[in-house]
Amino acid sequence: MRALLWRDIRLAIRAGGGFGLGLAFFLMVAVLVPLGVGPEGALLSRIAPGILWVGALLASLLSLDRMFALDFEDGSLDLMAVSPLPLEAVAAVKALAHWLVTGVPLVLISPLLGVLLSLDPAGYVWLVAALALGSPALSLVGCFGAALTVGLKRGGLILSLIVLPMYVPTLIFGAEAVRRGAAGAEAMVPLLLLAAISLGSAALLPFASAAAIRANLK
Amino acid sequence: MLRVVDLAVARGGVPVLEGLGFALAAGRVMVLRGPNGAGKTTLLRTLAGLQPALSGRIEADPDILTYSGHADGLKATLTVAENLAFWAAVHGQSQIAAALDAMNLTGLQDRRAADLSAGQKRRLGLARLRVTGRSLWLMDEPTVSLDAASVGLFGAMLRGHLAQGGAAIVATHIDLGLPEAEVLDLGPFKAGQSRQGAFDEAFL
Amino acid sequence: MSIWEYANPKKFMQTSAWALPWVSGLAVILLVAGLVWGFFFTPDDYKQGATVKIIYLHVPSAMMAISAWFMMLVGSLIWLIRRHHVSALTAKAAAPVGLTFTVIGLVTGAIWGQPMWGTWWAWDPRLTSFLILGLFYLGYIALWAAIEDPDTAADLTSVLCMVGSVFAFMSRYAVLFWNQGLHQGASVSVAGGDQVSNVYGLPLAVCVAGFVLLFVTLVLLRTRTEIRARRIKALIARERAVA
């Protein structure tokens, strides 16, 4: 399992792996939104939690379709299926690798983008905490969507159609935690619910993903 | 090591082979023959557990076999050694030197897989079989894009594997230079017309 | 005789062919009766005027939009556990019907909401939940349409339906958390006290029954079409094998 994790991370970081793509996209969103809605600080600071969360969501969506598709095309997925590694573990590790390569950098860069969007100073802690707790759910749900669509020729579009509705609870609790935190209100409840979604997804979705991969390999 | 009883396999829901029965002992190799579309790949994938059998039994420990298909499962941006070390680690092994040596890849071990020729990639894919430490090799056209010398290397590696108590099933068109191989012609096991029309028979 | 006999496509075709005229006929009678009764023979609401009468379309279609998803969930589970083709096909058949009911629910809601709340659309929890339900339907239908092999498609959509149900359910509560809204509480509920008076309630019940039967009719029809399509495929495969 550790070998798979290292391999996936290494693949993502080497040339053509798409590392940083999500990050760049996240940055784009944070730059384009003020250009679209105007430079007024009060407005930006009000919509900042939502923009940052939607941006993180779309950025993590960007690299999902490569999660299994490349291994499917070059036969690695077949070979993993006959290896001693259970597919459930393969799915979990792939989601973890995706989170380390996409989610963690988003969490780290988010305070910087918060500055661009005039996020209220009280909100930074909550922004980082919410993204750190919520982005694993994004990777896990995305992993499930990628497993469902791995056999499709043009899976990318359907992948987003399937995954985005499932991102709704994460988005709502995540943005709500930041919004409440920035307004100085009690934000622990959405934060804990966010953590619950991530933990529940981690416990259950690898099994669903493995079932989907098995059906796709047939 | 492997026993197959009255096996029927299907491709895309359409039965292609039926009534297959054979046994393979340790130290033996079996060559599958048959024209394109005879069901060689389908049979190998079914034996490997990648797809369910239509009917019949496969008696084998799934933890002893490994599979090598048309694609080699290589990552273009990893080096030869990294690719091999990954598959070794997945199977709980760590030794890759012997496998590199067997397929004459030692000199190429730091080269990226993207920069290998088709034949070299294939050799790497075959070396992978050896680092898995598994005893039953299921191989689908292993010699595609190999030159005569490489086919010889492969034959030698396979023979070494058999000598250590391994076994193999190879689907191939060419002569591997293995006179001891048992040959299984899939022609007689072609699914009969009654079976061939059985796609979605529940709906008829 | 066990209920699973109806999972055999042939038996299903026979039974549904027999049942279809009765179910559809009854659906038409109930719908016509309920709607005519509701539209022409009930008084206007003292607050809402005649606009209240859209309730006869709005409430039943909203109920069926949710019920259809539950039916798909049951069909998916039966397919995953017992591998009955008809069960997977009923789930496939129900999805577009459910989506249509969702859209009807949203559109009639907008028409009703405009004079009542002064807006066609508000990000009210109920409205938002329905919109999200519609998105789940879209994803499910798209996945069915994208996969060529019918059994693989049934497997994958069933897994999606199960996981999607959990997330749809979570979305419902997340949305409630996000915004408490304008929409009145459920108009019809078993425990309900003072919600809808009998003057409206009886024709509404007739309409709901009519919508249920309409749904059953549509799903039966669509499932029969799916079975016929599979039968044609099987026949073509057989001919090719013989030739």
Side-chain angles (χ1 to χ4, degrees):
Chain A
M1 280 168 79
R2 205 175 306 146
L4 179 59
L5 182 63
W6 278 121
R7 182 192 76 145
D8 269 24
I9 292 173
R10 210 182 275 164
L11 284 174
I13 293 172
R14 288 209 182 155
F19 177 75
L21 222 63
L23 218 52
F25 180 83
F26 196 33
L27 179 70
M28 290 300 181
V29 171
V31 172
L32 287 182
V33 167
L35 295 179
V37 302
E40 190 199 330
L43 175 64
L44 283 178
S45 99
R46 231 184 50 225
I47 60 173
I51 301 301
L52 289 171
W53 259 96
V54 171
L57 207 108
L58 296 176
S60 88
L61 189 70
L62 218 54
S63 48
L64 282 181
D65 60 333
R66 309 169 60 101
M67 203 188 270
F68 293 109
L70 297 180
D71 282 335
F72 182 72
E73 280 158 22
D74 68 18
S76 301
L77 212 51
D78 281 343
L79 302 179
M80 279 181 220
V82 298
S83 82
L85 219 53
L87 281 175
E88 285 78 5
V90 171
V93 168
K94 289 255 166 199
L96 178 61
H98 180 264
W99 181 67
L100 288 174
V101 176
T102 319
V104 171
L106 291 183
V107 175
L108 296 179
I109 201 184
S110 62
L112 198 69
L113 302 187
V115 175
L116 284 181
L117 293 171
S118 347
L119 184 69
D120 191 277
Y124 285 95
V125 179
W126 298 103
L127 176 65
V128 173
L131 276 174
L133 289 175
S135 53
L138 299 183
S139 291
L140 285 157
V141 171
C143 168
F144 172 62
L148 280 178
T149 52
V150 64
L152 299 178
K153 289 275 171 329
R154 322 194 61 166
L157 197 63
I158 292 176
L159 174 63
S160 31
L161 212 55
I162 288 170
V163 164
L164 283 175
M166 294 207 270
Y167 276 174
V168 166
T170 314
L171 170 67
I172 288 179
F173 291 130
E176 191 68 22
V178 184
R179 195 175 304 124
R180 291 188 183 187
E186 159 64 34
M188 251 349 243
V189 175
L191 205 61
L192 290 177
L193 287 167
L194 200 59
I197 293 177
S198 280
L199 290 174
S201 302
L204 297 174
L205 283 180
F207 293 95
S209 311
I213 295 173
R214 259 184 218 111
N216 264 319
L217 286 181
K218 254 188 252 169
Chain B
M1 190 167 260
L2 173 73
R3 246 173 77 82
V4 167
V5 185
D6 195 26
L7 184 71
V9 299
R11 177 176 53 230
V14 183
V16 285
L17 293 169
E18 65 178 348
L20 267 171
F22 59 83
L24 191 68
R28 304 290 298 170
V29 56
M30 176 179 276
V31 173
L32 301 179
R33 289 207 193 277
N36 290 334
K40 298 188 293 293
T41 301
T42 311
L43 175 59
L44 284 174
R45 287 183 68 85
T46 309
L47 291 176
L50 288 169
Q51 60 179 73
L54 206 57
S55 64
R57 278 203 318 278
I58 301 169
E59 293 164 13
D61 180 358
D63 289 336
I64 62 162
L65 56 82
T66 186
Y67 169 78
S68 139
H70 295 288
D72 290 315
L74 302 178
K75 289 296 168 193
T77 51
L78 297 185
T79 67
V80 169
E82 282 171 336
N83 267 303
L84 218 47
F86 164 68
W87 288 112
V90 164
H91 288 82
Q93 309 282 320
S94 55
Q95 291 304 316
I96 60 163
L100 283 171
D101 194 42
M103 290 314 289
N104 193 20
L105 290 162
T106 312
L108 299 170
Q109 63 172 319
D110 291 324
R111 198 180 286 191
R112 293 191 320 149
D115 304 329
L116 297 180
S117 75
Q120 288 166 336
K121 275 186 195 153
R122 193 77 226 191
R123 265 152 60 198
L124 178 51
L126 294 173
R128 188 194 60 82
L129 288 164
R130 180 145 173 185
V131 301
T132 59
R134 297 244 161 145
S135 51
L136 175 56
W137 294 357
L138 306 172
M139 287 175 277
D140 195 3
E141 303 287 357
T143 54
V144 170
S145 64
L146 289 186
D147 57 18
S150 302
V151 173
L153 280 177
F154 167 65
M157 181 177 83
L158 185 54
R159 213 170 267 133
H161 174 64
L162 299 176
Q164 286 169 15
I169 298 179
V170 191
T172 184
H173 290 291
I174 68 153
D175 184 16
L176 294 171
L178 294 166
E180 71 272 30
E182 299 167 39
V183 174
L184 179 66
D185 184 6
L186 292 180
F189 301 104
K190 187 173 180 215
Q193 285 191 351
S194 60
R195 279 312 268 274
Q196 286 202 350
F199 171 72
D200 267 356
E201 63 190 342
F203 287 93
L204 292 168
Chain C
M1 176 170 139
S2 114
I3 186 168
W4 299 115
E5 269 188 36
Y6 295 99
N8 174 300
K10 268 179 240 164
K11 178 79 183 156
F12 177 86
M13 289 302 269
Q14 280 170 16
T15 315
S16 59
W18 174 85
L20 209 46
W22 295 97
V23 177
S24 55
L26 203 55
V28 170
I29 292 171
L30 285 177
L31 279 177
V32 169
L35 290 177
V36 169
W37 184 2
F39 279 123
F40 299 109
F41 300 101
T42 56
D44 288 355
D45 186 80
Y46 74 99
K47 263 192 311 200
Q48 308 196 14
T51 43
V52 74
K53 291 180 176 177
I54 204 163
I55 196 174
Y56 300 109
L57 291 174
H58 179 68
V59 170
S61 51
M63 287 169 84
M64 291 324 293
I66 298 170
S67 309
W69 187 275
F70 275 111
M71 202 223 91
M72 280 157 53
L73 180 60
V74 173
S76 301
L77 280 173
I78 294 176
W79 161 254
L80 286 180
I81 296 166
R82 301 203 47 139
R83 320 268 329 151
H84 290 310
H85 286 96
V86 173
S87 148
L89 291 179
T90 49
K92 181 184 185 184
V97 182
L99 178 62
T100 312
F101 279 129
T102 310
V103 172
I104 294 175
L106 285 171
V107 170
T108 53
I111 295 169
W112 192 1
Q114 210 284 328
M116 288 305 110
W117 305 331
T119 172
W120 296 100
W121 178 259
W123 288 95
D124 162 272
R126 262 165 193 271
L127 277 66
T128 313
S129 306
F130 260 85
L131 196 59
I132 295 169
L133 180 64
L135 297 181
F136 274 99
Y137 272 121
L138 275 182
Y140 178 88
I141 294 168
L143 191 62
W144 259 112
I147 305 169
E148 274 174 46
D149 181 74
D151 281 1
T152 310
D155 281 342
L156 294 175
T157 51
S158 298
V159 176
L160 174 63
C161 185
M162 283 171 57
V163 175
S165 301
V166 176
F167 276 87
F169 195 70
M170 282 204 296
S171 305
R172 170 91 185 93
Y173 286 93
V175 165
L176 272 180
F177 183 87
W178 168 75
N179 187 359
Q180 334 288 337
L182 300 164
H183 199 289
Q184 56 197 299
S187 309
V188 184
S189 79
V190 184
D194 59 346
Q195 290 151 336
V196 177
S197 70
N198 274 342
V199 187
Y200 302 117
L202 285 176
L204 184 58
V206 175
C207 279
V208 169
F211 265 76
V212 171
L213 290 175
L214 174 65
F215 173 72
V216 173
T217 306
L218 292 174
V219 171
L220 282 180
L221 270 176
R222 291 184 54 86
T223 310
R224 287 171 62 82
T225 314
E226 295 289 345
I227 290 177
R228 288 204 171 107
R230 284 290 283 273
R231 195 178 271 180
I232 289 168
K233 258 197 200 164
L235 284 172
I236 291 173
R238 174 185 279 181
E239 279 196 357
R240 211 179 284 144
V242 172

